[in-house]
Amino acid sequence: MRVSKVITKTGDKGQTGLGDGQRVSKSHVRIQTLGSVDHLNSMVGWAASVATLQTKSDLESIQQDLFNVGGELSIPESELSLLTEERIVWLETETAELNEELPPLKEFILPGGNELSARIHIARTECRNVERDLVALGESEKLNETHLVYLNRLSDYFFVLARKVQSAERNPEIQWDYKK
């Protein structure tokens, strides 16, 4: 699909079009979910903008996955399979490899750290928002369960990646002090 005209005026009354031609309210749960995916994709791009080459490449690959999720979500009842199981396996493998290099957690850690780590934590929390929106959509419409699995793994990946980025710069993680 090519976007050649940005201003269409077709959404001026609160309706928008889906990939199958349906018009729905901009407050529809599917549109909310698509917006959340788009927001997450922007957050990932924001993190990628300050990442090293390899991390940037990995994050851009995730952005492609998120466009695939959005593409599938934009066409209700579609049998599209743009997001493959291989991408879930990739996330699981990458997360495991990154985690092997990190010390075990003794307590919850405060999100933040250096610039890239903080941005990845923000992407992680937005990923959980997308997951919740997707669950809400699935309560009323058919879902591709691969999307839920992918997003669940993606938030884990972001958590471990944020820790790895922080560790690579030899910055200590700040643990939750529940006594304060």
Side-chain angles (χ1 to χ4, degrees):
M1 176 185 214
R2 301 279 184 247
V3 177
S4 57
K5 188 175 179 183
V6 176
I7 298 174
T8 64
K9 300 182 182 180
T10 60
D12 289 353
K13 299 208 188 262
Q15 298 281 310
T16 192
L18 295 175
D20 65 356
Q22 282 185 72
R23 302 286 301 167
V24 297
S25 170
K26 289 184 178 183
S27 68
H28 191 282
V29 67
R30 183 173 296 274
I31 302 306
Q32 171 64 37
T33 304
L34 284 164
S36 293
V37 172
D38 187 36
H39 192 246
L40 171 58
N41 207 332
S42 295
M43 291 293 177
V44 175
W46 187 51
S49 72
V50 295
T52 62
L53 285 178
Q54 182 58 55
T55 300
K56 179 179 176 124
S57 175
D58 291 344
L59 292 174
E60 287 173 349
S61 179
I62 288 166
Q63 287 186 285
Q64 295 289 338
D65 293 341
L66 293 171
F67 261 99
N68 286 338
V69 170
E72 289 183 39
L73 287 172
S74 72
I75 305 174
E77 306 293 325
S78 171
E79 297 297 322
L80 280 175
S81 293
L82 301 174
L83 182 69
T84 64
E85 293 283 334
E86 288 80 23
R87 294 302 295 160
I88 294 170
V89 171
W90 179 84
L91 281 174
E92 291 172 345
T93 302
E94 289 295 311
T95 302
E97 287 176 6
L98 291 170
N99 201 44
E100 282 178 12
E101 303 169 19
L102 294 169
L105 285 173
K106 296 179 181 166
E107 190 53 76
F108 289 106
I109 59 168
L110 301 183
N114 61 40
E115 180 75 19
L116 178 55
S117 177
R119 290 182 187 197
I120 293 167
H121 276 295
I122 291 170
R124 174 186 56 79
T125 60
E126 183 58 25
C127 187
R128 289 295 189 200
N129 287 335
V130 174
E131 192 175 9
R132 285 188 291 275
D133 286 345
L134 196 57
V135 167
L137 177 62
E139 290 172 354
S140 62
E141 300 187 30
K142 181 182 169 191
L143 276 189
N144 178 342
E145 292 188 19
T146 301
H147 297 160
L148 278 174
V149 174
Y150 179 84
L151 289 163
N152 194 28
R153 297 301 181 282
L154 182 58
S155 62
D156 294 340
Y157 169 81
F158 286 148
F159 178 75
V160 173
L161 180 61
R163 290 190 70 214
K164 178 63 180 161
V165 164
Q166 188 70 1
S167 172
E169 290 192 4
R170 302 195 192 312
N171 292 328
E173 295 174 320
I174 300 171
Q175 295 185 1
W176 174 43
D177 184 355
Y178 53 89
K179 297 174 189 169
K180 284 191 175 188

